[in-house]
Structure formats: C-alpha cells, structure tokens
Amino acid sequence: MGLSTSTLPFKERIAAAAKDKFAHASIAKAQDTQYTKRENARAELGNWQDWRKLGQSIRQHVIQYLPDYLEEFSDNVEKRGGNVFFAQTTDEANDFILNVIKQQQGHHVVKSKSMVTAELDLDKKLQALPDVSILETDLAEFILQEDDWDEPSHIVFPAIHKDRNQVHTIFKKLGYEGDNDPEHMARFARKYMRERFLEADVGITGCNFAIADSGIINLDTNEGNADLADSIPKAQIVVMGMERLVPSMKEAEIMDNMLARSAVGQKLTTYVTFEGQQTPGETDGPENFYVVVLDNNRSKALGTEFQEILQCIRCGACLNVCPVYRQIGGHGYGSLYPGPVGAVLSPILGGYEQFGELPFASSLCAACTETCPVLIPLHNLLIKHREVETDRLNMMHGFTDFQMKVVGKGTSSPFMFKMALRFKHFGLSPWTHQKPVTATNFFEYNNSMITKGPGMVGGWTDVRDLPVPPKHRDDFRVWFKHHKKQGGDAK
Amino acid sequence: MTIQNRDKFLDHLAERLGQPRHQLATHPYQQLNDLPQQTLSDKTPAELLALARKNSEALPVTFYEVAPVELPQLLTDYVTDKGGGPLLLPTTSHFADYQLTDWQKSIAADQTVNYWLPDADRATNLKAAEIANIGISFADFLLAESGTVTVSTNPGQGRALHFLPIHYLSIVPRSRIVARSTQAVAWYEKEQAAGCLDSSAIHFITGPSNSGDIEMQLVTGVHGPLDVTYVVVDD
Ligand code: SF4
C-alpha cells in the first residue's frame, strides 16, 4: 500500500466512494458523534483557545529546532541501551527493520497501530519473510488485516467504513461462531489475539511522542494493545515520523491531554504510556529497543510555507469536521492520510503528480483550521498548494487564482474571513442550483450544490455534488446546536 | 547500542531550516502559559476526592473509599466476587505499609497466589500474568480530573501485571489524589532527575480497556483487563 492507497484515477475513486452508501452513512454518524464528544471535552477543560496556543508553541518550537531535539533524543535512547536508525527513505527503513527481525530471530511479530509503518508498506514486506507471522493488534487494523489487508479510511478509526455484518463475515472465516454483536465479536478478537501475543518475539509500535530529554516514547491507546506489544516481546521496534518529538514528559503530558480531547472526546486515552529500553532488574519490556526515525520527504516541508503541517499530532479532528471527507470518505482521497491533513501532507510526501488533486478536494470552509488543536492553518495551506500548482506547475488558471486571492487575503482577520465566505458564495453562484436541505445534506450547505466545476474541481463534481462553502451564519456548529435544541437526531 | 546515519540526516534538516545545529542551549522551550498548572488548582482535597470518584465511576470503574483497617476484608470480598484466583501480586513493601501481611498469608491459604518476582525470569513472570484472573497493584497517584491511576515499573512489578490479568484492582492512598496528569508527571520527572526512580515504563491507566472500532459502539476489555476497581485508602 504505502502512501498511495489506490491505483485508480481520482475521478474513479470518487465514483467508487460515492457508491458506498454504508461508508457514507457511518462517516456521517461518526462525525456527528465525535462533534458532541470533542466539543464537550474541550469545553469542560476550559480556555480551549489558550490551550491551542500552548500546543502550537510546543510543536512549533520542536519543528524549529528539530535537528537538536532528534540529537538529544537519540543520545538518550543510546544512553539507556537502545538503538536509533535515521532513515531518509522508506526503503532504508524497511531494510533496517527486516534486518533487526532477522538478527532477533523473530518469528512472531505483533504490531500496534502505526500510520508510519503503513507508509512504509511494512506489512507486505513482513509477509514476504519466510517463517515470520505478522499480526495487527489494534481491533480495527486486525479487521482490515483479516479482510485481505483492506485499506484504512480514517487516521483514528481505520475501519470506519465497515459495518458489523462485514466484520461478522470476516470473523466467521477465523472460526467465530457467535452473532454480530460488537461486544461478542470483540471478545472473540481478544482471545484470538491474546494467544498470538503470548508467543510474540518482536513488537512493532508507533510513537505518539518521543521524549527528547529521556530517550523514552509516549504511546496513547484505548485498547492496551501497544502495552502488550511493548511488554511481552523481547524486542521492540518503534517506527516514528521524524517530527514526533517533544522536549520532555511535561510537554508530552500537555499534548496527550489535547490529543485525547480532540481525537476521541476523552480526557485522556485509557492507556497513556511512557516507555523505553528495559532497565536492569526488570523482567519484561524490550531487552532490545530500536527506534526508526523516518524522513520520507517530510524534510521538504521544512523552511517552506508548509512547515506548519509538521506540527500535526494526528488527532483526526480535521477529518471529523470536513464536509468533503463526509462526502468522499477516506478511500476517495487515495492517500493513507485523508481529509484536510492528508490533502496538505500527501502532496509533500508523495508529490503533486500523484496527489495534486487533493488540495482541490476542499470547499475551503475552514472548519479544519478552526478545530485543529495545534492551530495549523489547514485551509490556508491548501490554498498555498493551489498557488504552487497554479504558479509553478502551470496546471490551471483563472477560477482558482481568483478564488485563492480572495480567500487568501480574506482569512487574515475574522471580519475579512466572514466577508470572504460571503464573497465565495457570490463567486460560486454561477455553478450552483437549489436542492431541498435535510439533516444529511446539511454539509452540502445552504441548499447550494456545485454541479459543474471548473478545471480540476470538475473531476469530482462530475460524480458527486461539491459542497459550497458554508455561509458564515450557517456553519456546522450553529446548525448542530439548533438541531439538537429541536431534539433532532444528528445524522 | 548504536546510532546510525545521524549526522547526514540532521545536517540535511538544519540546511532545510536554514539555521545551524546546536541552537537549543540558547533557545530552550519556554512554556507559553500556566494552564496545565492552573487547571483545577483551586480544588480542596475533599473536592478532588469527589471529582476522582465521579470521573472514575463514569469510565466505568468501581470505586471504594476505605479506612486502612477495612482494607483486608474488602480485598477478600473482591477476590471472592471476581471468582477467586489465580492472583498476581507485586513484590513490594507496600503490603507491609498497609498492614496487609496477614491478609497475604490468609489469601494464599485459600487461593492460588503468584508474585511478580524480581529474581524470576521473563517467562515465569509473564506466565504468572497470563494465567492471572486478578491483578492487584499499588498506584503512585490517582488523577481527579480523569479518573486515572499511575504506576511505574520496577523489578517487583512488571509492565504486564497491569495488562494481562482479567480483573484489575489498584490501591491508592488518599493523600496521593492530585488534580491532573500535570502533577503526576512533575513528580516522576523530579524523582528521575534525583535518581530516586529508574523505571523503563510509567503507565497512566484510565479505566478498563475499550474500543469503538466496530460501528463506534463502545465495548470494554479488548486487550487489557475487562474491569477495573480503585480503592482509596484513608491515610
Ligand atoms: S492537522 Fe490538526 S486537526 Fe488535523 S489531524 Fe493534524 S492535529 Fe489534528
């Protein structure tokens, strides 16, 4: 799989995504459920805007001094007896990981959820090793693995596109004889995976944050699978994007709080773990601890107008508010990183040739920017991508220039931003027609659907109506509060 | 113990950033505001206890407050209620601190009791955790804001003790209830800096293992314990 999750052209991906009615309904349900949980969790904490500034300041500082933090972190991993491998490319990372497994004489590899290992297409490489079994242990990833390695469609809820009946069919192939109740199926998965955990000799985990001043890593999960993966096997391989650093546990703790509230509407995830190379005298945990630090084109963002995307903490909140993600789902993007974060990040990691359409898969409504816990100006970065594509690659002209300039300038102040939204409606009016508004098509905004689009946007408006950016008075928050007050079911 | 490809990698990043390496000593991170320290800082110990109970029970966690003298009976009743052993207990002086040495003897007379042993090998300790119906441990802190217990690994208490047993009970003194993760992390950092704590793993545990991965319906006990109990002991 790697970064690209589909070989289909953009237009065909969108067409396929549009046909998947279950995925569409489940994404809508997830967005609405998460909206309430996330906003309540943030409101309960209080001073959310100041927390965002705090989170931003930590992440910006780390990115600005990234070489120093990586040096400090790797020195401290080594001091504890661990190993660090800096990989410029996915091939370098894969070669190193496969070598470690060979050296460790690993036969049973357990993995906890890691976007970066998916970026490496590591599962496929591991499957090719003789005498090595591999098990994804996050419940969603396990479901995808057992469904012939289906692609994830969300960065926090990877199997969001599957319903209980599909999971039931998958589990029956593994010998499950019960009904389709999620509780019963989860119990079956527990037993199935526990047996394999106990024979595991290598654990591969991701890393939410790497702690520079102590050489340990920080993992956040609700299931506890990462904790089993770092307790039972003798060897642990941590695979991390190079930007996932924090100065100390103190800042990790701040980010953990913001991540849990933003990703799943919890105060903290069930398990927040700080761990590293086993200390002498301890009997479980990794006797052999390896960290792979991956660049894979992340460095292309450094020193450019896109540097801020490296602040991302992968909370998924921007996916959960995005009207375009709601329409086309994760698979429509064709990238491991979908939604607004993916539309900004994918062209940096994989190039414009492959992911050049994604910055256009946005209504520029700025809901993503408004929700991002670390204040990444996502919609502005999408506009910047369009500028780069338009100006430097000379890929399209006219409409986008016009709209970009208006929005780009307009978002510099709240008042101007509101004006810009008004103006965008005005600017788009030639392409819109009226449709009756329902709860489910609210995101199609203000009865207006773009049914014909110019340039690259036309590729997907042919198959799916493009939501017009919301009028400032009609944003999702306003609608949701109003709808809830009336006792409506937010679907 | 190796670091590979570092200098080339980091030089490239510094070049992209347009600034030399080794700037951090003169540009350390300065916390922008004191929200983490201020949040819930106005709560009294009694209010923190009430908050801890409320937030724990919402997870859901079974929450008890007991006097030290009531603790042995509560533990015995808990073991019976959860269907008995095998139990997995840490090797720690906390049992003596809480005057639980007689309880240790009496429970061992009735049930299979295993200890996480500092001098046992990996396989032996993991086996004890694997077969455990009940795991009991002593927490360093209880966080009022989130209903979280925190534990640190040491030779007498491995990581898996908190994850492999089916039922998990955590004992915490009332004086160790703090507002939030901020205070717990500050303590761990201080202990580590002073050389008083040399642990490879610190776990913050907030209720039972759970997942919403099938149709976002929350189910408990996917990997870790199926249920969790906190016992706050008046000290
Ligand atoms: S860009 Fe912001 S909102 Fe989106 S996943 Fe990253 S941190 Fe979360």
Side-chain angles (χ1 to χ4, degrees):
Chain A
M1 173 173 64
L3 184 61
S4 169
T5 58
S6 174
T7 51
L8 294 176
F10 191 49
K11 194 170 166 179
E12 286 177 39
R13 290 201 307 267
I14 305 298
K19 273 192 213 134
D20 192 343
K21 298 289 176 225
F22 171 77
H24 190 250
S26 64
I27 288 166
K29 184 176 159 199
Q31 283 194 328
D32 297 346
T33 309
Q34 286 304 320
Y35 179 87
T36 310
K37 289 178 73 180
R38 183 183 59 247
E39 296 308 314
N40 287 348
R42 289 171 170 181
E44 191 181 27
L45 181 63
N47 303 305
W48 180 244
Q49 296 311 322
D50 289 329
W51 279 99
R52 293 175 84 197
K53 287 180 199 153
L54 178 60
Q56 178 197 38
S57 75
I58 294 168
R59 296 293 298 138
Q60 276 188 347
H61 190 268
V62 164
I63 304 302
Q64 193 57 43
Y65 299 99
L66 192 57
D68 294 356
Y69 279 117
L70 281 168
E71 183 168 359
E72 187 185 359
F73 172 68
S74 50
D75 278 344
N76 284 319
V77 172
E78 192 183 38
K79 259 187 224 157
R80 302 182 75 94
N83 309 273
V84 184
F85 182 84
F86 287 88
Q88 204 75 51
T89 65
T90 56
D91 282 347
E92 286 173 17
N94 280 325
D95 286 349
F96 176 79
I97 295 166
L98 298 190
N99 247 328
V100 167
I101 293 171
K102 212 189 276 172
Q103 268 174 24
Q104 294 294 317
Q105 300 178 333
H107 293 292
H108 304 286
V109 177
V110 283
K111 282 185 68 206
S112 72
K113 184 167 169 284
S114 152
M115 299 297 291
V116 181
T117 60
E119 206 177 309
L120 297 177
D121 207 3
L122 182 61
D123 287 336
K124 206 179 275 167
K125 308 277 185 298
L126 294 173
Q127 281 173 274
L129 289 179
D131 305 324
V132 174
S133 70
I134 158 92
L135 182 74
E136 288 285 355
T137 61
D138 170 80
L139 181 58
E141 300 274 2
F142 173 65
I143 291 166
L144 296 180
Q145 169 177 350
E146 297 305 333
D147 192 22
D148 200 17
W149 300 95
D150 188 15
E151 310 293 357
S153 59
H154 191 288
I155 63 175
V156 176
F157 311 107
I160 199 173
H161 57 289
K162 296 217 180 296
D163 68 7
R164 66 181 68 199
N165 294 325
Q166 288 166 297
V167 177
H168 190 222
T169 307
I170 296 163
F171 281 12
K172 277 205 289 199
K173 283 189 236 154
L174 301 174
Y176 175 64
E177 291 173 348
D179 60 16
N180 69 355
D181 184 322
E183 183 105 38
H184 300 156
M185 292 194 285
R187 247 349 113 72
F188 167 77
R190 173 192 176 93
K191 187 170 177 300
Y192 185 94
M193 288 194 268
R194 179 62 71 89
E195 285 163 13
R196 284 148 188 84
F197 258 124
L198 292 168
E199 61 185 18
D201 36 36
V202 177
I204 299 180
T205 69
C207 165
N208 288 94
F209 303 103
I211 319 285
D213 76 349
S214 56
I216 59 174
I217 63 151
N218 178 200
L219 289 163
D220 296 322
T221 74
N222 275 336
E223 295 181 10
N225 56 317
D227 293 290
L228 293 180
D230 72 46
S231 299
I232 297 171
K234 274 188 184 169
Q236 181 184 357
I237 306 171
V238 178
V239 187
M240 59 178 274
M242 66 174 198
E243 76 282 15
R244 312 289 293 182
L245 275 288
V246 284
S248 69
M249 270 179 80
K250 195 168 142 204
E251 289 78 25
E253 177 267 326
I254 293 168
M255 301 317 305
D256 288 334
N257 276 269
M258 298 185 71
L259 176 63
R261 287 179 198 260
S262 299
V264 281
Q266 295 170 208
K267 290 160 185 144
L268 287 174
T269 55
T270 305
Y271 300 108
V272 175
T273 296
F274 301 89
E275 65 92 22
Q277 166 86 29
Q278 187 191 75
T279 298
E282 295 173 355
T283 42
D284 66 348
E287 292 165 27
N288 302 297
F289 183 77
Y290 303 87
V291 183
V292 178
V293 180
L294 179 70
D295 181 340
N296 192 29
N297 292 333
R298 285 166 173 75
S299 56
K300 283 192 174 156
L302 288 178
T304 75
E305 53 210 327
F306 299 108
Q307 185 167 313
E308 283 165 295
I309 196 61
L310 298 181
Q311 290 162 218
C312 174
I313 58 170
R314 303 287 189 270
C315 72
C318 57
L319 279 67
N320 294 340
V321 298
C322 178
V324 174
Y325 179 82
R326 191 176 182 102
Q327 294 291 339
I328 70 174
H331 291 166
Y333 289 82
S335 168
L336 178 64
Y337 300 107
V341 57
V344 177
L345 188 63
S346 306
I348 296 166
L349 301 185
Y352 287 116
E353 204 161 302
Q354 194 167 13
F355 296 110
E357 299 105 329
L358 295 191
F360 293 85
S362 165
S363 62
L364 301 179
C365 70
C368 49
T369 300
E370 200 187 324
T371 200
C372 179
V374 287
L375 288 169
I376 301 173
L378 288 155
H379 75 291
N380 282 333
L381 296 182
L382 291 171
I383 292 166
K384 282 177 182 159
H385 268 312
R386 294 182 189 189
E387 281 173 353
V388 172
E389 290 188 75
T390 306
D391 295 347
R392 292 187 209 156
L393 303 179
N394 204 18
M395 288 171 80
M396 69 176 282
H397 299 280
F399 167 77
T400 313
D401 279 348
F402 163 74
Q403 196 188 34
M404 279 183 320
K405 284 194 180 111
V406 171
V407 179
K409 286 198 182 100
T411 48
S412 57
S413 74
F415 173 75
M416 287 301 286
F417 179 60
K418 284 174 186 169
M419 291 301 290
L421 288 179
R422 282 203 190 109
F423 196 68
K424 275 192 293 171
H425 282 267
F426 174 74
L428 291 175
S429 60
W431 294 294
T432 62
H433 70 88
Q434 300 295 303
K435 273 197 175 176
V437 72
T438 65
T440 49
N441 80 359
F442 170 78
F443 282 91
E444 293 157 353
Y445 295 122
N446 193 37
N447 301 3
S448 297
M449 307 292 294
I450 302 176
T451 50
K452 299 191 293 281
M456 297 177 75
V457 185
W460 67 293
T461 56
D462 289 347
V463 290
R464 190 77 204 174
D465 289 341
L466 169 63
V468 179
K471 282 189 174 175
H472 67 282
R473 66 172 182 276
D474 284 343
D475 71 8
F476 180 59
R477 183 188 296 171
V478 174
W479 170 82
F480 193 87
K481 276 188 187 152
H482 178 70
H483 193 65
K484 275 306 216 196
K485 219 181 276 169
Q486 293 179 334
D489 182 13
K491 288 212 176 114
Chain B
M1 287 175 285
T2 57
I3 298 174
Q4 293 177 58
N5 302 341
R6 183 166 75 177
D7 278 333
K8 189 169 155 244
F9 190 101
L10 299 187
D11 286 345
H12 170 65
L13 301 190
E15 194 185 307
R16 295 285 317 177
L17 283 161
Q19 65 188 30
R21 288 170 58 186
H22 305 128
Q23 300 282 306
L24 209 46
T26 47
H27 298 87
Y29 175 68
Q30 312 268 6
Q31 193 175 311
L32 187 73
N33 58 44
D34 62 356
L35 278 172
Q37 290 75 22
Q38 285 307 314
T39 301
L40 301 180
S41 62
D42 58 340
K43 301 282 178 222
T44 64
E47 286 170 331
L48 290 179
L49 172 62
L51 196 58
R53 175 186 273 279
K54 178 174 148 253
N55 287 327
S56 302
E57 287 179 342
L59 290 168
V61 161
T62 307
F63 193 97
Y64 295 105
E65 291 166 52
V66 293
V69 59
E70 297 167 317
L71 185 57
Q73 189 59 47
L74 184 139
L75 293 179
T76 303
D77 293 347
Y78 171 82
V79 170
T80 309
D81 186 45
K82 296 298 174 191
L87 272 74
L88 177 62
L89 305 178
T91 300
T92 170
S93 59
H94 284 312
F95 286 109
D97 300 342
Y98 285 94
Q99 295 171 0
L100 286 170
T101 37
D102 286 344
W103 176 81
Q104 284 175 283
K105 282 182 208 141
S106 72
I107 202 75
D110 281 354
Q111 306 286 343
T112 305
V113 177
N114 295 310
Y115 283 84
W116 190 280
L117 298 168
D119 50 2
D121 62 14
R122 182 183 196 97
T124 307
N125 278 333
L126 283 176
K127 188 76 195 167
E130 176 199 334
I131 61 169
N133 182 44
I134 293 170
I136 295 179
S137 83
F138 298 88
D140 297 326
F141 291 99
L142 169 59
L143 316 181
E145 184 188 44
S146 50
T148 303
V149 287
T150 75
V151 287
S152 45
T153 290
N154 61 55
Q157 173 178 274
R159 304 179 185 201
L161 184 146
H162 314 290
F163 301 104
L164 286 177
I166 296 169
H167 309 282
Y168 181 72
L169 182 142
S170 180
I171 300 169
V172 62
R174 188 176 165 161
S175 60
R176 287 296 189 125
I177 300 177
V178 294
R180 59 198 312 273
S181 41
T182 311
Q183 289 78 22
V185 162
W187 184 84
Y188 284 118
E189 287 199 315
K190 195 169 85 213
E191 291 293 295
Q192 276 166 340
C196 302
L197 180 71
D198 187 13
S199 172
S200 76
I202 296 166
H203 301 287
F204 286 41
I205 300 170
T206 307
S209 155
N210 64 81
S211 170
D213 279 345
I214 304 175
E215 290 191 8
M216 310 278 293
Q217 183 178 316
L218 200 66
V219 298
T220 56
V222 181
H223 286 288
L226 300 185
D227 60 67
V228 173
T229 300
Y230 301 161
V231 183
V232 175
V233 184
D234 213 343
D235 62 339

